[in-house]
Amino acid sequence: MNFIETRGNDGIKPEEVTFSEAILSPSASFGGLYVPKELPFLEENFIQNHIDKSYKELAYNILKAFKIDIDDEEINKALDLYDNFDEASNPCPVVKVKDDLFVHEQYHGPTRAFKDMALQPFGSILSSIAKKRDEHYLILAATSGDTGPAALNTFKNKENIQVACLYPDGGTSDVQRLQMVCEDGDNLKVLGIHGNFDDAQSALKNLLSSESFKKELEDDGIKLSAANSVNFGRIIFQIIYHFWSYIQLLKQEEITFGEKIYLVVPSGNFGNVLGGFYAQEMGVPVEKLLVASNENNILTEWINTGIYDIRDKDLKLTKSPAMDILKSSNIERVIYSLYGAKRTKEFFDDLNEKKIFKMTEEETKKLQKYFAAINSDDKYGAKIIKDFLDDGYLMDPHTATCLKAYEELKEKELKTVIYSTAEWTKFSPTVLNALHKNNISYADKEALETISKEYNAKQPDSIKKLFTAKVNHDLVIDKNDIEKEIVKFIRNN
Ligand SMILES: *Cc1c(COP(=O)(O)O)cnc(C)c1O
């Protein structure tokens, strides 16, 4: 299957590209993104036929339905990486917490956040394509704390790939920072920058479109790619687990086939919930996708009003930092699906020029058929974390934002799956503040140990060993020096 562009074609880039091409160079005409030409058709009993299948089998069959230009051997090698998750046959368990509420735990991979679900297999596929073509790629990643560790982990020592990862210094947890700066592998460069996540992301976008930088890389025989969720190579793996949600509820006999469910997704760049949207389009019986945000309520505003307005908005730093966002990239793919390329280009031209776009009332209604949204603040999150642990379930602050949607957005009495995007170990100071009802600023190590001891919660070895690991990357630089540092890294490799 081929891929086309969300903002139409500029007459220079090809009108259609293969999956390999879309993931190797993910930026499309006019700054748009690649989307599948059409979503695959699944046979009638696809979902029922997978009730007794493993996650890997489900994933394989969904990937095959997309008819991607990747050999079976490479697909299987990529999917085998799910064997490294806590439970190989069930890498993302769906756990019942009460009557109609289920938590889909997406954090059982190597870096303890949901980014592993897609980045683990994506890293393997990208490296294999690059190798097959005898091409060398530089992956630039900007991270608010979870993408970086997951990208570094998946690409470390992978052939034909180098990674430069930018993180906002002081904007991540200790665990997240250590997961990045302690990662080894000659093909990795980790740079802290002075600024917030949006600064890091803008710097990355500038570099991706900088002709001078591209020229410098070309001279070294290196092409640029990206591993953030603008890359469809990640999105394709984010469709699968929404099928898994439904299949697990069927398997647990909580629903009968055809019964609709709510999916609640804590959102930032909109990749996770976009996967849910595609899964719904491909046949998963979803009543509605409920989008949870934190105090950065741009997605809530957009879905509730049809207006995306960042004119007077500043990024707020919250306790659910992976959702701190102003410009959410993957809404573009939903907009394309619902209103076509012409409108998509108009909206994003407006957003670039005027920092605002407005949909018509009719367009907004259409959006609201699929999505509803709500936001909550850190105080609410703290209360949820405490209340749920009192009932025996420990969750992280991103997951906690979902409960607001569960409590207030449901219009029907249907089973609800909330997505748990990070393990508590990644945000332990916030979790301990919630449990002890205080504002003491704990170091991660202290918080991890206290929570483990007082609440009998298990820390995985991958987290414990971080605190004695060797730091391999200690640079924190100014935004203006990023290009220089990256060029130096390339030259030395
Ligand atoms: C990345 C991330 C999110 C946001 O996911 P998007 O796909 O960007 O919407 C939410 N929670 C955690 C813990 C994350 O790492």
Side-chain angles (χ1 to χ4, degrees), residues 113-115 144-147 176 229 234 238 241 265-274 299 322-323 325 328 330 396 398-399 420-423 426-427:
F114 107 96
K115 302 294 191 286
S144 60
D146 288 333
T147 302
Q176 291 173 321
S229 59
R234 274 180 61 181
Q238 301 195 357
Y241 50 68
V265 187
S267 296
N269 231 346
F270 223 66
N272 201 355
V273 71
L274 171 72
L299 293 168
M323 299 157 68
I325 195 132
S328 177
N330 274 304
D396 101 297
H398 300 80
T399 314
S420 182
T421 47
E423 188 175 54
K426 280 199 108 163
F427 301 95

PDB file of all heavy atoms in Angstrom, residues 113-115 144-147 176 229 234 238 241 265-274 299 322-323 325 328 330 396 398-399 420-423 426-427, ligand 1:
ATOM      1  N   ALA A 113       7.732   3.135  29.606  1.00  0.00           N
ATOM      2  CA  ALA A 113       6.665   4.027  29.142  1.00  0.00           C
ATOM      3  C   ALA A 113       6.145   3.516  27.804  1.00  0.00           C
ATOM      4  O   ALA A 113       6.782   2.690  27.151  1.00  0.00           O
ATOM      5  CB  ALA A 113       7.164   5.465  29.004  1.00  0.00           C
ATOM      6  N   PHE A 114       4.998   4.017  27.404  1.00  0.00           N
ATOM      7  CA  PHE A 114       4.309   3.439  26.250  1.00  0.00           C
ATOM      8  C   PHE A 114       5.059   3.629  24.931  1.00  0.00           C
ATOM      9  O   PHE A 114       4.795   2.937  23.961  1.00  0.00           O
ATOM     10  CB  PHE A 114       2.884   3.991  26.181  1.00  0.00           C
ATOM     11  CG  PHE A 114       2.621   4.993  25.103  1.00  0.00           C
ATOM     12  CD1 PHE A 114       2.067   4.595  23.889  1.00  0.00           C
ATOM     13  CD2 PHE A 114       2.917   6.327  25.279  1.00  0.00           C
ATOM     14  CE1 PHE A 114       1.809   5.519  22.885  1.00  0.00           C
ATOM     15  CE2 PHE A 114       2.656   7.246  24.284  1.00  0.00           C
ATOM     16  CZ  PHE A 114       2.100   6.843  23.082  1.00  0.00           C
ATOM     17  N   LYS A 115       6.018   4.548  24.911  1.00  0.00           N
ATOM     18  CA  LYS A 115       6.773   4.764  23.678  1.00  0.00           C
ATOM     19  C   LYS A 115       7.447   3.477  23.188  1.00  0.00           C
ATOM     20  O   LYS A 115       7.633   3.292  21.988  1.00  0.00           O
ATOM     21  CB  LYS A 115       7.833   5.848  23.888  1.00  0.00           C
ATOM     22  CG  LYS A 115       7.317   7.207  24.343  1.00  0.00           C
ATOM     23  CD  LYS A 115       6.466   7.889  23.297  1.00  0.00           C
ATOM     24  CE  LYS A 115       6.176   9.345  23.624  1.00  0.00           C
ATOM     25  NZ  LYS A 115       5.186   9.515  24.710  1.00  0.00           N
ATOM     26  N   SER A 144      10.301  15.070  25.565  1.00  0.00           N
ATOM     27  CA  SER A 144       9.942  15.665  26.844  1.00  0.00           C
ATOM     28  C   SER A 144      10.247  14.654  27.951  1.00  0.00           C
ATOM     29  O   SER A 144       9.974  14.887  29.108  1.00  0.00           O
ATOM     30  CB  SER A 144       8.455  16.054  26.853  1.00  0.00           C
ATOM     31  OG  SER A 144       7.668  14.913  26.640  1.00  0.00           O
ATOM     32  N   GLY A 145      10.802  13.523  27.584  1.00  0.00           N
ATOM     33  CA  GLY A 145      11.273  12.604  28.614  1.00  0.00           C
ATOM     34  C   GLY A 145      11.031  11.125  28.374  1.00  0.00           C
ATOM     35  O   GLY A 145      11.720  10.289  28.944  1.00  0.00           O
ATOM     36  N   ASP A 146      10.083  10.765  27.531  1.00  0.00           N
ATOM     37  CA  ASP A 146       9.836   9.338  27.308  1.00  0.00           C
ATOM     38  C   ASP A 146      10.292   8.859  25.935  1.00  0.00           C
ATOM     39  O   ASP A 146      10.771   7.741  25.779  1.00  0.00           O
ATOM     40  CB  ASP A 146       8.349   9.012  27.490  1.00  0.00           C
ATOM     41  CG  ASP A 146       7.941   9.063  28.961  1.00  0.00           C
ATOM     42  OD1 ASP A 146       8.800   8.833  29.823  1.00  0.00           O
ATOM     43  OD2 ASP A 146       6.760   9.337  29.234  1.00  0.00           O
ATOM     44  N   THR A 147      10.155   9.732  24.928  1.00  0.00           N
ATOM     45  CA  THR A 147      10.586   9.334  23.586  1.00  0.00           C
ATOM     46  C   THR A 147      12.094   9.120  23.540  1.00  0.00           C
ATOM     47  O   THR A 147      12.577   8.166  22.927  1.00  0.00           O
ATOM     48  CB  THR A 147      10.214  10.416  22.545  1.00  0.00           C
ATOM     49  OG1 THR A 147       8.808  10.618  22.589  1.00  0.00           O
ATOM     50  CG2 THR A 147      10.603  10.011  21.156  1.00  0.00           C
ATOM     51  N   GLN A 176      14.228   9.595  33.834  1.00  0.00           N
ATOM     52  CA  GLN A 176      14.237   9.804  32.385  1.00  0.00           C
ATOM     53  C   GLN A 176      15.604  10.306  31.906  1.00  0.00           C
ATOM     54  O   GLN A 176      16.134   9.838  30.895  1.00  0.00           O
ATOM     55  CB  GLN A 176      13.174  10.824  31.991  1.00  0.00           C
ATOM     56  CG  GLN A 176      11.754  10.313  32.168  1.00  0.00           C
ATOM     57  CD  GLN A 176      10.732  11.413  31.940  1.00  0.00           C
ATOM     58  OE1 GLN A 176      10.944  12.563  32.338  1.00  0.00           O
ATOM     59  NE2 GLN A 176       9.632  11.067  31.315  1.00  0.00           N
ATOM     60  N   SER A 229       6.487  10.990  16.642  1.00  0.00           N
ATOM     61  CA  SER A 229       5.283  10.332  16.142  1.00  0.00           C
ATOM     62  C   SER A 229       4.728  10.985  14.881  1.00  0.00           C
ATOM     63  O   SER A 229       3.662  10.638  14.417  1.00  0.00           O
ATOM     64  CB  SER A 229       4.221  10.194  17.224  1.00  0.00           C
ATOM     65  OG  SER A 229       3.853  11.445  17.734  1.00  0.00           O
ATOM     66  N   ARG A 234       5.872   4.719  13.354  1.00  0.00           N
ATOM     67  CA  ARG A 234       5.453   4.542  14.747  1.00  0.00           C
ATOM     68  C   ARG A 234       3.951   4.357  14.846  1.00  0.00           C
ATOM     69  O   ARG A 234       3.457   3.529  15.585  1.00  0.00           O
ATOM     70  CB  ARG A 234       5.886   5.733  15.596  1.00  0.00           C
ATOM     71  CG  ARG A 234       7.301   5.562  16.107  1.00  0.00           C
ATOM     72  CD  ARG A 234       7.740   6.723  16.947  1.00  0.00           C
ATOM     73  NE  ARG A 234       6.918   6.921  18.128  1.00  0.00           N
ATOM     74  CZ  ARG A 234       7.115   7.900  18.988  1.00  0.00           C
ATOM     75  NH1 ARG A 234       8.095   8.767  18.804  1.00  0.00           N
ATOM     76  NH2 ARG A 234       6.357   8.027  20.039  1.00  0.00           N
ATOM     77  N   GLN A 238       0.944   1.663  16.671  1.00  0.00           N
ATOM     78  CA  GLN A 238       0.049   2.201  17.701  1.00  0.00           C
ATOM     79  C   GLN A 238      -1.418   1.919  17.390  1.00  0.00           C
ATOM     80  O   GLN A 238      -2.300   2.318  18.136  1.00  0.00           O
ATOM     81  CB  GLN A 238       0.292   3.710  17.855  1.00  0.00           C
ATOM     82  CG  GLN A 238       1.733   3.988  18.241  1.00  0.00           C
ATOM     83  CD  GLN A 238       1.967   5.390  18.748  1.00  0.00           C
ATOM     84  OE1 GLN A 238       1.085   6.222  18.781  1.00  0.00           O
ATOM     85  NE2 GLN A 238       3.185   5.648  19.153  1.00  0.00           N
ATOM     86  N   TYR A 241      -2.441  -2.050  19.446  1.00  0.00           N
ATOM     87  CA  TYR A 241      -2.842  -2.276  20.843  1.00  0.00           C
ATOM     88  C   TYR A 241      -4.277  -1.850  21.135  1.00  0.00           C
ATOM     89  O   TYR A 241      -4.853  -2.275  22.129  1.00  0.00           O
ATOM     90  CB  TYR A 241      -1.835  -1.675  21.832  1.00  0.00           C
ATOM     91  CG  TYR A 241      -1.424  -0.236  21.609  1.00  0.00           C
ATOM     92  CD1 TYR A 241      -2.304   0.814  21.774  1.00  0.00           C
ATOM     93  CD2 TYR A 241      -0.096   0.069  21.271  1.00  0.00           C
ATOM     94  CE1 TYR A 241      -1.894   2.126  21.592  1.00  0.00           C
ATOM     95  CE2 TYR A 241       0.321   1.381  21.092  1.00  0.00           C
ATOM     96  CZ  TYR A 241      -0.590   2.402  21.259  1.00  0.00           C
ATOM     97  OH  TYR A 241      -0.176   3.698  21.091  1.00  0.00           O
ATOM     98  N   VAL A 265      -7.579   8.158  26.392  1.00  0.00           N
ATOM     99  CA  VAL A 265      -6.154   8.237  26.080  1.00  0.00           C
ATOM    100  C   VAL A 265      -5.544   9.548  26.588  1.00  0.00           C
ATOM    101  O   VAL A 265      -5.964  10.636  26.176  1.00  0.00           O
ATOM    102  CB  VAL A 265      -5.931   8.134  24.552  1.00  0.00           C
ATOM    103  CG1 VAL A 265      -4.442   8.039  24.254  1.00  0.00           C
ATOM    104  CG2 VAL A 265      -6.655   6.922  23.974  1.00  0.00           C
ATOM    105  N   PRO A 266      -4.552   9.451  27.478  1.00  0.00           N
ATOM    106  CA  PRO A 266      -3.860  10.663  27.943  1.00  0.00           C
ATOM    107  C   PRO A 266      -2.990  11.192  26.811  1.00  0.00           C
ATOM    108  O   PRO A 266      -2.094  10.502  26.351  1.00  0.00           O
ATOM    109  CB  PRO A 266      -3.012  10.167  29.120  1.00  0.00           C
ATOM    110  CG  PRO A 266      -2.807   8.704  28.886  1.00  0.00           C
ATOM    111  CD  PRO A 266      -3.967   8.216  28.061  1.00  0.00           C
ATOM    112  N   SER A 267      -3.263  12.395  26.339  1.00  0.00           N
ATOM    113  CA  SER A 267      -2.721  12.794  25.041  1.00  0.00           C
ATOM    114  C   SER A 267      -1.812  14.000  25.068  1.00  0.00           C
ATOM    115  O   SER A 267      -1.971  14.911  25.873  1.00  0.00           O
ATOM    116  CB  SER A 267      -3.887  13.066  24.078  1.00  0.00           C
ATOM    117  OG  SER A 267      -4.606  11.862  23.870  1.00  0.00           O
ATOM    118  N   GLY A 268      -0.870  13.981  24.136  1.00  0.00           N
ATOM    119  CA  GLY A 268       0.043  15.099  23.913  1.00  0.00           C
ATOM    120  C   GLY A 268       0.137  15.334  22.423  1.00  0.00           C
ATOM    121  O   GLY A 268      -0.596  16.125  21.843  1.00  0.00           O
ATOM    122  N   ASN A 269       1.029  14.597  21.790  1.00  0.00           N
ATOM    123  CA  ASN A 269       1.199  14.726  20.349  1.00  0.00           C
ATOM    124  C   ASN A 269       0.133  13.965  19.549  1.00  0.00           C
ATOM    125  O   ASN A 269       0.164  13.940  18.332  1.00  0.00           O
ATOM    126  CB  ASN A 269       2.601  14.248  19.958  1.00  0.00           C
ATOM    127  CG  ASN A 269       3.323  15.272  19.112  1.00  0.00           C
ATOM    128  OD1 ASN A 269       2.714  16.224  18.600  1.00  0.00           O
ATOM    129  ND2 ASN A 269       4.608  15.101  18.948  1.00  0.00           N
ATOM    130  N   PHE A 270      -0.779  13.314  20.231  1.00  0.00           N
ATOM    131  CA  PHE A 270      -1.973  12.722  19.620  1.00  0.00           C
ATOM    132  C   PHE A 270      -1.694  11.443  18.829  1.00  0.00           C
ATOM    133  O   PHE A 270      -2.538  10.975  18.077  1.00  0.00           O
ATOM    134  CB  PHE A 270      -2.677  13.746  18.702  1.00  0.00           C
ATOM    135  CG  PHE A 270      -4.188  13.772  18.827  1.00  0.00           C
ATOM    136  CD1 PHE A 270      -4.802  14.197  19.997  1.00  0.00           C
ATOM    137  CD2 PHE A 270      -5.009  13.393  17.767  1.00  0.00           C
ATOM    138  CE1 PHE A 270      -6.194  14.244  20.100  1.00  0.00           C
ATOM    139  CE2 PHE A 270      -6.403  13.438  17.867  1.00  0.00           C
ATOM    140  CZ  PHE A 270      -6.984  13.864  19.034  1.00  0.00           C
ATOM    141  N   GLY A 271      -0.515  10.846  19.036  1.00  0.00           N
ATOM    142  CA  GLY A 271      -0.198   9.621  18.304  1.00  0.00           C
ATOM    143  C   GLY A 271      -0.957   8.424  18.842  1.00  0.00           C
ATOM    144  O   GLY A 271      -1.482   7.600  18.085  1.00  0.00           O
ATOM    145  N   ASN A 272      -1.029   8.346  20.172  1.00  0.00           N
ATOM    146  CA  ASN A 272      -1.686   7.215  20.811  1.00  0.00           C
ATOM    147  C   ASN A 272      -3.169   7.178  20.437  1.00  0.00           C
ATOM    148  O   ASN A 272      -3.680   6.166  19.954  1.00  0.00           O
ATOM    149  CB  ASN A 272      -1.495   7.367  22.330  1.00  0.00           C
ATOM    150  CG  ASN A 272      -1.666   6.065  23.099  1.00  0.00           C
ATOM    151  OD1 ASN A 272      -2.027   5.049  22.520  1.00  0.00           O
ATOM    152  ND2 ASN A 272      -1.429   6.104  24.401  1.00  0.00           N
ATOM    153  N   VAL A 273      -3.845   8.302  20.588  1.00  0.00           N
ATOM    154  CA  VAL A 273      -5.287   8.326  20.303  1.00  0.00           C
ATOM    155  C   VAL A 273      -5.564   8.254  18.796  1.00  0.00           C
ATOM    156  O   VAL A 273      -6.579   7.711  18.360  1.00  0.00           O
ATOM    157  CB  VAL A 273      -5.977   9.523  20.997  1.00  0.00           C
ATOM    158  CG1 VAL A 273      -5.600  10.845  20.364  1.00  0.00           C
ATOM    159  CG2 VAL A 273      -7.492   9.351  20.993  1.00  0.00           C
ATOM    160  N   LEU A 274      -4.623   8.746  17.989  1.00  0.00           N
ATOM    161  CA  LEU A 274      -4.765   8.584  16.533  1.00  0.00           C
ATOM    162  C   LEU A 274      -4.815   7.102  16.172  1.00  0.00           C
ATOM    163  O   LEU A 274      -5.613   6.675  15.320  1.00  0.00           O
ATOM    164  CB  LEU A 274      -3.595   9.257  15.800  1.00  0.00           C
ATOM    165  CG  LEU A 274      -3.513   8.989  14.294  1.00  0.00           C
ATOM    166  CD1 LEU A 274      -4.604   9.730  13.538  1.00  0.00           C
ATOM    167  CD2 LEU A 274      -2.141   9.377  13.748  1.00  0.00           C
ATOM    168  N   LEU A 299      -5.875  20.646  23.392  1.00  0.00           N
ATOM    169  CA  LEU A 299      -6.649  19.605  22.696  1.00  0.00           C
ATOM    170  C   LEU A 299      -8.108  19.639  23.143  1.00  0.00           C
ATOM    171  O   LEU A 299      -9.024  19.456  22.333  1.00  0.00           O
ATOM    172  CB  LEU A 299      -6.039  18.226  22.962  1.00  0.00           C
ATOM    173  CG  LEU A 299      -4.645  18.001  22.354  1.00  0.00           C
ATOM    174  CD1 LEU A 299      -4.005  16.728  22.906  1.00  0.00           C
ATOM    175  CD2 LEU A 299      -4.733  17.936  20.823  1.00  0.00           C
ATOM    176  N   ALA A 322       4.782  14.546  29.837  1.00  0.00           N
ATOM    177  CA  ALA A 322       4.711  13.986  28.481  1.00  0.00           C
ATOM    178  C   ALA A 322       3.481  14.489  27.734  1.00  0.00           C
ATOM    179  O   ALA A 322       3.332  14.258  26.536  1.00  0.00           O
ATOM    180  CB  ALA A 322       4.709  12.462  28.530  1.00  0.00           C
ATOM    181  N   MET A 323       2.588  15.167  28.467  1.00  0.00           N
ATOM    182  CA  MET A 323       1.394  15.730  27.837  1.00  0.00           C
ATOM    183  C   MET A 323       1.449  17.255  27.786  1.00  0.00           C
ATOM    184  O   MET A 323       0.464  17.894  27.443  1.00  0.00           O
ATOM    185  CB  MET A 323       0.147  15.292  28.615  1.00  0.00           C
ATOM    186  CG  MET A 323      -0.033  13.780  28.648  1.00  0.00           C
ATOM    187  SD  MET A 323      -1.038  13.261  30.037  1.00  0.00           S
ATOM    188  CE  MET A 323      -2.622  13.947  29.553  1.00  0.00           C
ATOM    189  N   ILE A 325       2.009  20.279  25.991  1.00  0.00           N
ATOM    190  CA  ILE A 325       2.134  20.515  24.554  1.00  0.00           C
ATOM    191  C   ILE A 325       1.288  21.712  24.120  1.00  0.00           C
ATOM    192  O   ILE A 325       0.262  22.002  24.716  1.00  0.00           O
ATOM    193  CB  ILE A 325       1.704  19.237  23.786  1.00  0.00           C
ATOM    194  CG1 ILE A 325       2.157  19.287  22.341  1.00  0.00           C
ATOM    195  CG2 ILE A 325       0.196  19.031  23.860  1.00  0.00           C
ATOM    196  CD1 ILE A 325       2.833  18.048  21.892  1.00  0.00           C
ATOM    197  N   SER A 328       0.229  20.071  18.645  1.00  0.00           N
ATOM    198  CA  SER A 328       0.095  18.630  18.679  1.00  0.00           C
ATOM    199  C   SER A 328       0.111  18.091  17.238  1.00  0.00           C
ATOM    200  O   SER A 328      -0.796  18.360  16.459  1.00  0.00           O
ATOM    201  CB  SER A 328      -1.233  18.291  19.365  1.00  0.00           C
ATOM    202  OG  SER A 328      -1.437  16.915  19.371  1.00  0.00           O
ATOM    203  N   ASN A 330      -0.098  15.138  15.557  1.00  0.00           N
ATOM    204  CA  ASN A 330      -0.926  14.127  14.891  1.00  0.00           C
ATOM    205  C   ASN A 330      -2.399  14.466  14.733  1.00  0.00           C
ATOM    206  O   ASN A 330      -3.139  13.702  14.101  1.00  0.00           O
ATOM    207  CB  ASN A 330      -0.770  12.781  15.591  1.00  0.00           C
ATOM    208  CG  ASN A 330       0.424  12.033  15.045  1.00  0.00           C
ATOM    209  OD1 ASN A 330       0.511  11.799  13.846  1.00  0.00           O
ATOM    210  ND2 ASN A 330       1.352  11.701  15.925  1.00  0.00           N
ATOM    211  N   ASP A 396       0.540   6.146  37.500  1.00  0.00           N
ATOM    212  CA  ASP A 396       1.406   7.320  37.329  1.00  0.00           C
ATOM    213  C   ASP A 396       0.530   8.553  37.038  1.00  0.00           C
ATOM    214  O   ASP A 396      -0.679   8.421  36.785  1.00  0.00           O
ATOM    215  CB  ASP A 396       2.407   7.062  36.188  1.00  0.00           C
ATOM    216  CG  ASP A 396       1.978   7.734  34.907  1.00  0.00           C
ATOM    217  OD1 ASP A 396       0.903   7.364  34.391  1.00  0.00           O
ATOM    218  OD2 ASP A 396       2.667   8.667  34.457  1.00  0.00           O
ATOM    219  N   HIS A 398       0.242  10.532  34.467  1.00  0.00           N
ATOM    220  CA  HIS A 398      -0.384  10.631  33.142  1.00  0.00           C
ATOM    221  C   HIS A 398      -1.669   9.802  33.104  1.00  0.00           C
ATOM    222  O   HIS A 398      -2.712  10.245  32.629  1.00  0.00           O
ATOM    223  CB  HIS A 398       0.578  10.155  32.050  1.00  0.00           C
ATOM    224  CG  HIS A 398       1.842  10.957  31.997  1.00  0.00           C
ATOM    225  ND1 HIS A 398       2.885  10.740  32.870  1.00  0.00           N
ATOM    226  CD2 HIS A 398       2.212  11.993  31.218  1.00  0.00           C
ATOM    227  CE1 HIS A 398       3.847  11.606  32.607  1.00  0.00           C
ATOM    228  NE2 HIS A 398       3.467  12.379  31.613  1.00  0.00           N
ATOM    229  N   THR A 399      -1.545   8.593  33.638  1.00  0.00           N
ATOM    230  CA  THR A 399      -2.713   7.711  33.698  1.00  0.00           C
ATOM    231  C   THR A 399      -3.840   8.364  34.499  1.00  0.00           C
ATOM    232  O   THR A 399      -5.025   8.251  34.127  1.00  0.00           O
ATOM    233  CB  THR A 399      -2.306   6.374  34.358  1.00  0.00           C
ATOM    234  OG1 THR A 399      -1.080   5.932  33.765  1.00  0.00           O
ATOM    235  CG2 THR A 399      -3.381   5.325  34.183  1.00  0.00           C
ATOM    236  N   SER A 420      -2.684   3.365  30.371  1.00  0.00           N
ATOM    237  CA  SER A 420      -1.648   3.727  31.334  1.00  0.00           C
ATOM    238  C   SER A 420      -0.339   3.808  30.580  1.00  0.00           C
ATOM    239  O   SER A 420       0.233   2.798  30.161  1.00  0.00           O
ATOM    240  CB  SER A 420      -1.563   2.680  32.445  1.00  0.00           C
ATOM    241  OG  SER A 420      -0.580   3.096  33.368  1.00  0.00           O
ATOM    242  N   THR A 421       0.114   5.043  30.373  1.00  0.00           N
ATOM    243  CA  THR A 421       1.223   5.274  29.456  1.00  0.00           C
ATOM    244  C   THR A 421       2.597   5.243  30.114  1.00  0.00           C
ATOM    245  O   THR A 421       3.605   5.260  29.426  1.00  0.00           O
ATOM    246  CB  THR A 421       1.040   6.609  28.723  1.00  0.00           C
ATOM    247  OG1 THR A 421       0.697   7.601  29.691  1.00  0.00           O
ATOM    248  CG2 THR A 421      -0.067   6.522  27.689  1.00  0.00           C
ATOM    249  N   ALA A 422       2.631   5.260  31.443  1.00  0.00           N
ATOM    250  CA  ALA A 422       3.943   5.171  32.101  1.00  0.00           C
ATOM    251  C   ALA A 422       3.813   4.409  33.407  1.00  0.00           C
ATOM    252  O   ALA A 422       2.760   4.423  34.050  1.00  0.00           O
ATOM    253  CB  ALA A 422       4.518   6.562  32.367  1.00  0.00           C
ATOM    254  N   GLU A 423       4.880   3.752  33.778  1.00  0.00           N
ATOM    255  CA  GLU A 423       4.937   3.101  35.085  1.00  0.00           C
ATOM    256  C   GLU A 423       5.189   4.169  36.147  1.00  0.00           C
ATOM    257  O   GLU A 423       5.847   5.179  35.879  1.00  0.00           O
ATOM    258  CB  GLU A 423       6.069   2.065  35.081  1.00  0.00           C
ATOM    259  CG  GLU A 423       6.106   1.199  36.319  1.00  0.00           C
ATOM    260  CD  GLU A 423       7.163   0.097  36.210  1.00  0.00           C
ATOM    261  OE1 GLU A 423       8.340   0.427  35.944  1.00  0.00           O
ATOM    262  OE2 GLU A 423       6.820  -1.073  36.378  1.00  0.00           O
ATOM    263  N   LYS A 426       8.642   5.979  36.753  1.00  0.00           N
ATOM    264  CA  LYS A 426       9.195   7.084  35.967  1.00  0.00           C
ATOM    265  C   LYS A 426       8.864   8.439  36.577  1.00  0.00           C
ATOM    266  O   LYS A 426       9.490   9.439  36.249  1.00  0.00           O
ATOM    267  CB  LYS A 426       8.685   7.019  34.522  1.00  0.00           C
ATOM    268  CG  LYS A 426       9.459   6.009  33.710  1.00  0.00           C
ATOM    269  CD  LYS A 426       9.323   6.237  32.231  1.00  0.00           C
ATOM    270  CE  LYS A 426      10.608   6.786  31.634  1.00  0.00           C
ATOM    271  NZ  LYS A 426      10.629   6.640  30.159  1.00  0.00           N
ATOM    272  N   PHE A 427       7.868   8.459  37.441  1.00  0.00           N
ATOM    273  CA  PHE A 427       7.442   9.735  38.025  1.00  0.00           C
ATOM    274  C   PHE A 427       7.236   9.587  39.527  1.00  0.00           C
ATOM    275  O   PHE A 427       6.264  10.077  40.084  1.00  0.00           O
ATOM    276  CB  PHE A 427       6.164  10.224  37.320  1.00  0.00           C
ATOM    277  CG  PHE A 427       6.366  10.401  35.849  1.00  0.00           C
ATOM    278  CD1 PHE A 427       6.038   9.394  34.948  1.00  0.00           C
ATOM    279  CD2 PHE A 427       6.963  11.561  35.358  1.00  0.00           C
ATOM    280  CE1 PHE A 427       6.270   9.531  33.590  1.00  0.00           C
ATOM    281  CE2 PHE A 427       7.201  11.709  33.997  1.00  0.00           C
ATOM    282  CZ  PHE A 427       6.857  10.698  33.112  1.00  0.00           C
TER     283      PHE A 427
HETATM  284  C1  LIG B   1       4.175  10.326  24.941  1.00  0.00           C
HETATM  285  C2  LIG B   1       3.347  10.159  26.152  1.00  0.00           C
HETATM  286  C3  LIG B   1       2.012  10.589  26.195  1.00  0.00           C
HETATM  287  C4  LIG B   1       1.361  11.290  25.035  1.00  0.00           C
HETATM  288  O1  LIG B   1       1.173  10.466  23.930  1.00  0.00           O
HETATM  289  P1  LIG B   1       0.875  11.082  22.493  1.00  0.00           P
HETATM  290  O2  LIG B   1       0.869   9.927  21.591  1.00  0.00           O
HETATM  291  O3  LIG B   1       1.990  12.039  22.207  1.00  0.00           O
HETATM  292  O4  LIG B   1      -0.441  11.774  22.587  1.00  0.00           O
HETATM  293  C5  LIG B   1       1.296  10.378  27.350  1.00  0.00           C
HETATM  294  N1  LIG B   1       1.858   9.810  28.434  1.00  0.00           N
HETATM  295  C6  LIG B   1       3.137   9.396  28.429  1.00  0.00           C
HETATM  296  C7  LIG B   1       3.701   8.815  29.671  1.00  0.00           C
HETATM  297  C8  LIG B   1       3.921   9.533  27.297  1.00  0.00           C
HETATM  298  O5  LIG B   1       5.192   9.126  27.302  1.00  0.00           O
END
